[in-house]
Amino acid sequence: MENFFLFDDGTYMERKGRNLSYDAGKKQAKILLSALLSFVENLEESKDCKADWQAGTELWVTHSTLEGLAELTKNYNDSLDTEAIRNALNCLISLKIIKDKRGQTNAKTRTNSKVWLFALKFPSIDKKENLNWLFKQGGEWDKCREAQKNNSAKVPKTPKEKSQGVDWQEICNAMLEKHKRLTTNELLFADDEMKFELEAIHVPLALVERKKPQKYSEDISAEQGSQLYEPSYEEKQRFEHEAFLEKIIRDGVGKTQGHRIALIGEPGAGKTTQLQTIAFWILNNNLGLPIWISLADLQGKSVENYLLQDWLKNALEVVRVKEEQENAFADLFKNNRVWLLLDAADEMSSPQPLTEISQQLTGWVKNARVVLTCRVNVWEANANALENFETYRLLNFEYPQQVREFIGRWFHNKDADKGERLWQELDKAERQRIQDLVKNPLRLALLCSTWQGSDKGLPETKAGLYQQFVEEVYKWKENRFPTTEQQQEELNAALGSLAKRAIDQETSRFRLRHKFVREELGDAKQQNSLFWLVLKLGWLNEVGLAAESPKEKVYAFYHPTFEEYFAALAIADWREFLNHVPDNPAQGVYRIFAPQWKELILLWLGREDVERKEKEEFIQALVEFDDGFCKLYWFQAYFLAANGIVEFRDCSRADEIVAQIVQWAFGCFDSTKQGWQSFFPLDKKARTIIRDTDRSKVVIELTKLLHLCQDKKIRRQLTDKNGNKFDEIILGQVALTLLDFSPDNFEACEVLKELINNSDDYFVPPFWLNKLQFDEQVEAIRRRVFSDSRPIEVSSETLEEENHSSREEIIDLIYSLNNIDDANPQKVETMLRLEKIITGNPEAIAPIIDVIKRSLHSNEDCDRYLLFKTLKYVQRIGSGNLELINLLISIINNHTYYENYAIKEHAISALTAIGIGNENVFNFIINLIDNDGLVGFVSPVACLGIILRDNLFYLAVAKLSCYLQDSVCQNNRAFYFDCYWTLYYCAENMIYPAFYQAWHQPEKVKDGEKERKILPPAKT
């Protein structure tokens, strides 16, 4: 509705000044749409109008002028002139019956465009049925018109944002346009029409939550070790693009009411594009003032200083901003009118970017609504820093539907037959790896462009795909900036050297200062120098100025994935990834353990110009890596080898590697012990890895394992040993994973049906399964075998309650739990209400402390129950304060044995949850370990692994390394394995030389005083 004014009489007028007549519009629209439906039905061609069916029953008019549409009505029905056509279309748009696709992110583009582009979702492709559905009395037109009248009174009249003589809406629009030019991948689009058609396809978003660690009972075997988990995400709700804009951005649905939103995704997933769409949508719908900040541009500045010193000065185009202008600008924030759009947290120079952002959203800036984008790996590394954000993950295109739709639109106006040939080639069974790759929007666009100008087939590896992409970019630029083959080789080599140096940097891997680039590429001002050429070709783009030197330019690669590809081209020998010097790691090379190098290694393995012998040697070095630390780093090396064989498909050890990963993921039958051997907690990591290794080989191994699990003799032995419960879980895990890899697998479906039919209350309650369809039953089994969660029916009213409560209300809710019978549904509602209020809410700390103290001073059993429940709620608060930490420590140290409700066990669990990264909590747990103490059934070593962050990893290794001895394992296997898996977690988060130093540096403790050392940094 942003292009229309509403009058009191219910009529609308375009901003240009044209009245909309809805009575005439209905008749005009019927004539127009009748002509369009006849046009498509008869498969006729016209240079002035292009229309066809997309996605089944959606009619797309992809190119037409008013004159062309008027001519169309003359051919099929009563003739309409251009003004009648315009009125009909604007009425349809204002009623939201058709979607206006003219430059979706810019109102000015719509106003000035002579070409009309729109879409309409019909119930079928039958002309008569569609016209009746839309125009009959009480049909869709009448419903939309009535809804429009009802809503018009509810729409607030938003005044134009002006203060100090500044039109802030116009300013924000101009700044957004500027940033859009800097952040849009213009190389992908040959013309504006192509760009429109691709902007119309958006990836869906999913509201996700980190899964809580699985809670095991005390009958877990010692070999399963401490309960350490990698962060993973559970999809809570999926949103299509327009639903996300309407419900989350406009209506503010969700726990933060749209005030704190994080968009996370893989490189090329469309995070920046999505943020651009949100920015213009906010502006065009009068929802506030969107301000864009590319976070890499901060370069050490705070958000507040950047806004005042950089953004505001550039926006107002002044040398010095006046104080009254700064105050007026700050007032916009205080009045809740500003949206901060923070792009690419992963490109900040800070080692902990999310923590830095959290610390900067204070003062007058905190009143802004915030939408932030970030790569998944960076978000996972430090998500707790922004736990008050609601997290939405950009999903890939769905295969085959959205991928095929994208290809169809790309080639629609170029060569439809060629697009169909690409689809046929891509959809072959042996192209599964490429199918996965092109679910990523950026890579799919590049593939289409490459295919459009080339007759080559599809490559087998990611490296081969990027090689084609690079060749295509040179072709794109052939007319304006021609390069010889020799120049291209020189450019690729220089870019590779530059990229490798950049990725080796601890900070600013993706934003490169002018001086840094000049050292590799020469003088940018010298025509035909390497620097000059890469700028002209678009391999590097200017993205801002350096904070350290305000006059020095900063550059970025066309996309970070290209930086990684060029760096892979610069690797001459696999020993640049791994050069093991066992006795002196400081002299070696251990890039195989650096996360930023993983993608480069995979790309190197996929290079056709690298000898097979070199690749074989590297894979062998990985699977036979001897770390000297009881294989703590060997597991990581082996997992990398499993990833690598996807790119190096004819590796001689591929079968062996996949078989080992599947065994770690699901276990194996130990014929000696006549039982099932599992590999907790390695199994969770291995189940992740099998999705990124050779899938065809995984299916073979899973099928073998399924047959093994169905072996009657083995099943009988497992039943005798485990009461049939453990057998069901393993069988379910294998069958579900096989079904994921092979959706029509008959054996997997039969196993799942058997599990469903024979389910008991322990496994999945039959009364619950009986309510569901087969697909839903399968999902219920999946939740059970992978996360041990039980389905709970919750009312929507409970989930939508606001997270605002007083101290007294929190206390009253906790105490009310004593007065509600366990079987009463109200108790579940109350518990869920409490969890919602308390989660991540520091305001809940004081009332929680009150309840704990009151309960400690009482001997009543009901108060012990309250203490037990309250300690469970403490785990949801987040980082705790000193008073709460000391209170929990006092409970654990109390000589009174709180047997009822396992109070001490819950106290240390609560302490662990709120003590992440806290050195006082670390020292307390170390003291428990030194005194050989268990807290009930809870191992302090397992708790230690959960709280470790930063330099605490180093201290933990120095403390625990002495316990990995055979004598310890023989005397106390549970303690040994707790230490082992905690050290494994340390190894995952520390660079290899730092771990070596800590391992061989005995901790010096005398009279409780620890010697202070300068500690090497942990791996992020």
Side-chain angles (χ1 to χ4, degrees):
M1 295 295 297
E2 67 274 9
N3 285 330
F4 302 91
F5 290 126
L6 174 65
F7 291 100
D8 293 335
D9 62 0
T11 62
Y12 285 77
M13 184 177 73
E14 273 191 286
R15 293 192 186 275
K16 283 184 173 182
R18 296 184 180 89
N19 289 315
L20 296 185
S21 172
Y22 285 94
D23 291 337
K26 185 174 183 179
K27 181 178 180 181
Q28 294 160 348
K30 186 173 184 179
I31 294 171
L32 172 62
L33 293 180
S34 176
L36 280 169
L37 288 167
S38 297
F39 174 71
V40 176
E41 186 178 58
N42 294 332
L43 299 176
E44 295 194 16
E45 293 186 3
S46 169
K47 66 177 181 179
D48 297 319
C49 182
K50 296 179 182 178
D52 61 5
W53 294 106
Q54 296 282 347
T57 59
E58 190 166 23
L59 180 65
W60 278 74
V61 178
T62 53
H63 180 94
S64 189
T65 61
L66 294 176
E67 290 76 13
L69 292 171
E71 187 67 26
L72 197 66
T73 61
K74 186 186 299 183
N75 296 338
Y76 289 100
N77 292 293
D78 298 332
S79 177
L80 296 177
D81 61 23
T82 57
E83 286 306 306
I85 296 284
R86 188 195 303 276
N87 183 68
L89 288 172
N90 283 331
C91 286
L92 288 164
I93 292 168
S94 72
L95 293 175
K96 298 184 178 180
I97 293 174
I98 68 174
K99 300 174 186 176
D100 188 0
K101 299 295 184 179
R102 294 171 295 163
Q104 288 183 309
T105 57
N106 192 340
K108 188 179 293 186
T109 303
R110 280 197 294 274
T111 304
N112 296 332
S113 176
K114 294 182 179 180
V115 177
W116 284 73
L117 312 161
F118 56 89
L120 168 57
K121 182 74 173 178
F122 282 110
S124 77
I125 60 172
D126 180 76
K127 174 183 173 181
K128 184 176 180 180
E129 182 180 342
N130 289 335
L131 292 176
N132 285 336
W133 164 79
L134 186 53
F135 296 109
K136 70 180 180 182
Q137 187 173 0
E140 194 67 16
W141 178 284
D142 292 344
K143 291 178 184 177
C144 292
R145 182 76 176 105
E146 189 63 30
Q148 183 190 68
K149 291 177 181 178
N150 292 336
N151 290 335
S152 63
K154 302 176 185 178
V155 178
K157 309 298 186 296
T158 305
K160 200 164 189 178
E161 300 282 359
K162 277 194 174 183
S163 60
Q164 291 297 317
V166 177
D167 185 337
W168 292 107
Q169 287 175 308
E170 188 61 36
I171 287 287
C172 288
N173 185 69
M175 292 295 284
L176 286 176
E177 289 288 357
K178 178 181 178 181
H179 280 291
K180 184 180 179 183
R181 288 193 297 272
L182 289 173
T183 55
T184 300
N185 286 311
E186 296 293 345
L187 289 176
L188 298 183
F189 305 106
D191 51 48
D192 288 338
E193 184 179 331
M194 174 76 74
K195 188 170 182 178
F196 141 70
E197 295 202 27
L198 299 181
E199 282 184 344
I201 306 177
H202 293 275
V203 298
L205 295 99
L207 171 64
V208 293
E209 276 186 10
R210 277 188 167 184
K211 291 182 180 179
K212 295 291 182 184
Q214 185 175 345
K215 301 297 182 184
Y216 280 84
S217 56
E218 59 269 20
D219 61 355
I220 295 173
S221 64
E223 287 80 359
Q224 289 177 305
S226 59
Q227 299 183 19
L228 303 176
Y229 289 83
E230 291 192 348
S232 57
Y233 292 98
E234 178 183 4
E235 183 177 319
K236 309 298 286 187
Q237 188 176 0
R238 184 172 294 209
F239 294 90
E240 295 303 324
H241 175 68
E242 291 192 8
F244 176 81
L245 294 175
E246 293 283 350
K247 293 183 179 180
I248 308 304
I249 303 299
R250 182 198 292 277
D251 297 338
V253 173
K255 70 175 184 180
T256 72
Q257 298 183 313
H259 280 73
R260 293 289 185 268
I261 298 169
L263 305 178
I264 64 173
E266 301 297 337
K271 299 183 294 296
T272 299
T273 302
Q274 186 73 253
L275 196 63
Q276 287 173 351
T277 303
I278 290 170
F280 284 103
W281 199 83
I282 290 167
L283 194 64
N284 293 337
N285 285 275
N286 292 324
L287 298 180
L289 301 170
I291 294 178
W292 183 287
I293 300 179
S294 295
L295 288 170
D297 293 341
L298 293 183
Q299 292 294 309
K301 288 184 179 179
S302 69
V303 171
E304 180 177 335
N305 287 338
Y306 178 84
L307 286 168
L308 295 176
Q309 298 171 15
D310 294 78
W311 191 92
L312 189 57
K313 187 166 71 172
N314 291 333
L316 299 178
E317 297 180 342
V318 295
V319 175
R320 187 175 294 105
V321 180
K322 298 176 182 177
E323 183 179 352
E324 54 268 27
Q325 291 174 321
E326 288 186 347
N327 292 334
F329 184 59
D331 285 341
L332 296 173
F333 284 78
K334 294 174 183 177
N335 294 329
N336 299 307
R337 291 298 298 152
V338 174
W339 292 72
L340 281 181
L341 307 168
L342 308 180
D343 189 36
D346 46 278
E347 295 183 13
M348 291 178 70
S349 58
S350 170
Q352 292 185 311
L354 304 185
T355 300
E356 185 171 321
I357 291 169
S358 176
Q359 294 169 348
Q360 292 183 19
L361 295 178
T362 57
W364 52 269
V365 175
K366 73 180 179 183
N367 296 310
R369 299 182 183 185
V370 179
V371 186
L372 171 144
T373 68
C374 184
R375 279 193 183 189
V376 171
N377 64 322
V378 174
W379 184 259
E380 284 187 350
N382 197 17
N384 288 335
L386 294 177
E387 59 189 357
N388 61 328
F389 274 62
E390 198 156 32
T391 309
Y392 295 87
R393 184 163 186 167
L394 277 78
L395 306 176
N396 282 327
F397 282 145
E398 292 181 2
Y399 189 93
Q401 181 180 346
Q402 283 189 306
V403 171
R404 187 169 192 176
E405 182 182 359
F406 187 102
I407 293 172
R409 294 210 187 151
W410 183 284
F411 290 96
H412 177 73
N413 293 324
K414 303 297 178 183
D415 187 342
D417 290 340
K418 196 162 194 175
E420 185 60 27
R421 289 197 299 274
L422 171 58
W423 169 250
Q424 295 298 332
E425 181 71 18
L426 180 64
D427 201 39
K428 293 180 179 178
E430 64 269 21
R431 298 295 188 191
Q432 191 172 24
R433 176 60 179 163
I434 303 299
Q435 291 166 11
D436 275 347
L437 285 175
V438 298
K439 290 176 185 177
N440 177 284
L442 173 68
R443 291 195 287 262
L444 179 55
L446 282 166
L447 176 66
C448 289
S449 184
T450 302
W451 184 268
Q452 187 174 315
S454 170
D455 293 326
K456 294 181 179 179
L458 294 179
E460 295 291 337
T461 67
K462 187 184 293 188
L465 196 61
Y466 273 93
Q467 181 181 342
Q468 287 192 5
F469 293 164
V470 169
E471 292 171 356
E472 182 63 19
V473 170
Y474 284 122
K475 289 180 181 177
W476 282 339
K477 295 290 185 174
E478 184 67 33
N479 292 333
R480 296 184 62 193
F481 302 106
T483 52
T484 65
E485 189 173 329
Q486 181 179 349
Q487 282 179 311
Q488 292 173 17
E489 290 178 0
E490 291 176 1
L491 281 168
N492 292 349
L495 288 169
S497 178
L498 174 69
K500 190 168 76 168
R501 276 189 62 199
I503 290 171
D504 255 340
Q505 294 184 122
E506 290 187 8
T507 60
S508 287
R509 296 189 182 105
F510 300 115
R511 297 295 173 107
L512 314 175
R513 291 177 60 176
H514 183 90
K515 180 181 178 182
F516 182 85
V517 179
R518 188 180 60 200
E519 290 172 0
E520 291 290 337
L521 304 181
D523 188 354
K525 295 180 180 179
Q526 182 179 344
Q527 191 166 356
N528 290 324
S529 70
L530 293 177
F531 201 162
W532 184 87
L533 276 172
V534 297
L535 291 176
K536 295 300 182 184
L537 290 166
W539 288 127
L540 291 180
N541 294 288
E542 182 183 337
V543 292
L545 299 173
E548 306 89 336
S549 177
K551 293 184 179 181
E552 185 178 7
K553 295 178 180 179
V554 175
Y555 302 90
F557 271 81
Y558 163 46
H559 192 275
T561 54
F562 281 90
E563 182 172 340
E564 292 164 337
Y565 172 70
F566 282 119
L569 294 183
I571 303 299
D573 190 299
W574 64 264
R575 290 164 188 83
E576 293 187 52
F577 302 134
L578 173 62
N579 181 23
H580 190 25
V581 183
D583 297 328
N584 191 1
Q587 300 298 316
V589 177
Y590 298 94
R591 285 171 171 154
I592 61 169
F593 304 120
Q596 69 268 26
W597 279 85
K598 178 182 175 181
E599 190 65 23
L600 273 71
I601 292 170
L602 299 181
L603 288 164
W604 179 84
L605 282 166
R607 281 174 49 187
E608 294 180 359
D609 59 332
V610 176
E611 294 289 337
R612 173 174 175 161
K613 178 175 176 293
E614 284 279 301
K615 298 178 185 179
E616 291 280 7
E617 287 178 359
F618 177 56
I619 295 295
Q620 180 175 340
L622 292 176
V623 299
E624 297 178 2
F625 181 69
D626 183 7
D627 56 23
F629 307 132
C630 304
K631 297 188 176 182
L632 292 171
Y633 278 87
W634 174 71
F635 285 120
Q636 294 183 58
Y638 206 100
F639 287 145
L640 182 59
N643 291 142
I645 60 174
V646 176
E647 298 296 315
F648 178 27
R649 300 190 70 84
D650 56 349
C651 175
S652 62
R653 305 189 69 164
D655 292 338
E656 164 199 342
I657 291 169
V658 172
Q660 178 64 81
I661 298 295
V662 170
Q663 185 180 101
W664 284 337
F666 302 103
C668 61
F669 182 71
D670 189 328
S671 58
T672 304
K673 296 181 179 179
Q674 295 296 295
W676 195 268
Q677 181 182 358
S678 61
F679 298 91
F680 176 86
L682 199 65
D683 54 354
K684 187 175 180 69
K685 177 72 173 180
R687 287 199 295 270
T688 301
I689 295 297
I690 63 172
R691 300 185 181 280
D692 296 321
T693 190
D694 190 321
R695 293 194 170 194
S696 60
K697 296 184 186 299
V698 170
V699 169
I700 293 171
E701 292 299 323
L702 287 174
T703 303
K704 290 179 185 176
L705 190 56
L706 194 66
H707 293 162
L708 182 68
C709 290
Q710 292 177 293
D711 184 278
K712 292 183 179 179
K713 182 179 178 182
I714 292 176
R715 286 172 69 91
R716 188 162 52 249
Q717 292 168 339
L718 288 173
T719 300
D720 295 340
K721 193 174 182 64
N722 300 294
N724 206 31
K725 296 175 182 178
F726 188 64
D727 177 40
E728 288 177 334
I729 290 176
I730 292 297
L731 195 61
Q733 288 178 345
V734 176
L736 282 166
T737 308
L738 183 56
L739 200 65
D740 287 343
F741 282 62
S742 180
D744 298 322
N745 191 285
F746 175 78
E747 292 178 89
C749 286
E750 290 301 304
V751 167
L752 290 172
K753 288 176 182 177
E754 180 184 345
L755 287 175
I756 292 166
N757 292 333
N758 298 328
S759 180
D760 57 23
D761 284 333
Y762 168 81
F763 193 58
V764 179
F767 80 87
W768 172 260
L769 285 178
N770 292 339
K771 298 179 182 179
L772 308 176
Q773 300 296 322
F774 177 70
D775 289 348
E776 296 170 319
Q777 291 174 330
V778 168
E779 287 309 305
I781 297 292
R782 186 188 304 278
R783 288 194 297 272
R784 173 65 180 93
V785 302
F786 283 121
S787 64
D788 202 19
S789 60
R790 301 291 182 95
I792 298 176
E793 296 187 56
V794 183
S795 70
S796 58
E797 290 79 10
T798 299
L799 296 177
E800 292 175 1
E801 289 190 50
E802 294 187 6
N803 188 17
H804 299 291
S805 294
S806 67
R807 177 182 184 136
E808 291 73 21
E809 184 183 356
I810 293 173
I811 294 174
D812 289 344
L813 282 170
I814 295 174
Y815 274 92
S816 71
L817 294 174
N818 263 347
N819 303 319
I820 308 174
D821 184 72
D822 285 342
N824 191 331
Q826 186 184 348
K827 189 157 194 171
V828 176
E829 300 280 344
T830 303
M831 292 168 64
L832 289 168
R833 166 80 173 138
L834 266 170
E835 289 176 3
K836 187 178 176 76
I837 294 171
I838 288 171
T839 300
N841 182 8
E843 299 296 324
I845 293 175
I848 286 287
I849 290 175
D850 281 351
V851 175
I852 292 175
K853 286 181 176 179
R854 291 185 201 178
S855 301
L856 287 173
H857 289 93
S858 171
N859 292 320
E860 297 294 328
D861 188 61
C862 62
D863 289 325
R864 285 287 183 264
Y865 172 75
L866 280 179
L867 181 58
F868 153 74
K869 291 301 300 181
T870 306
L871 290 173
K872 292 188 71 175
Y873 290 131
V874 168
Q875 300 176 43
R876 293 179 167 269
I877 290 177
S879 299
N881 66 1
L882 183 60
E883 183 182 3
L884 185 53
I885 286 172
N886 289 336
L887 183 58
L888 293 171
I889 289 175
S890 71
I891 294 174
I892 299 165
N893 282 336
N894 196 313
H895 294 298
T896 303
Y897 186 61
Y898 297 113
E899 183 174 0
N900 291 344
Y901 305 112
I903 298 298
K904 287 193 174 185
E905 288 95 321
H906 283 84
I908 194 168
S909 296
L911 180 66
T912 302
I914 69 172
I916 293 172
N918 187 293
E919 191 166 352
N920 291 331
V921 175
F922 174 86
N923 290 332
F924 173 73
I925 295 176
I926 288 293
N927 186 56
L928 290 175
I929 296 171
D930 286 339
N931 289 289
D932 299 322
L934 279 175
V935 181
F937 294 103
V938 177
S939 163
V941 182
C943 296
L944 186 72
I946 296 172
I947 72 162
L948 296 179
R949 294 294 185 275
D950 303 322
N951 289 333
L952 296 183
F953 285 113
Y954 187 97
L955 293 173
V957 173
K959 177 66 185 176
L960 300 180
S961 58
C962 61
Y963 293 121
L964 290 199
Q965 301 176 21
D966 289 341
S967 59
V968 175
C969 185
Q970 291 169 7
N971 294 328
N972 192 339
R973 288 175 64 82
F975 177 71
Y976 175 88
F977 279 104
D978 278 343
C979 291
Y980 184 90
W981 291 114
T982 300
L983 286 167
Y984 173 78
Y985 180 52
C986 293
E988 285 192 306
N989 288 275
M990 292 177 68
I991 58 176
Y992 184 85
F995 190 97
Y996 179 92
Q997 181 184 347
W999 182 277
H1000 293 284
Q1001 174 68 49
E1003 187 185 33
K1004 298 178 182 179
V1005 180
K1006 182 179 286 187
D1007 298 328
E1009 183 177 351
K1010 190 177 298 178
E1011 182 186 58
R1012 295 290 174 182
K1013 301 179 280 291
I1014 298 176
L1015 306 176
K1019 179 172 65 176
T1020 58

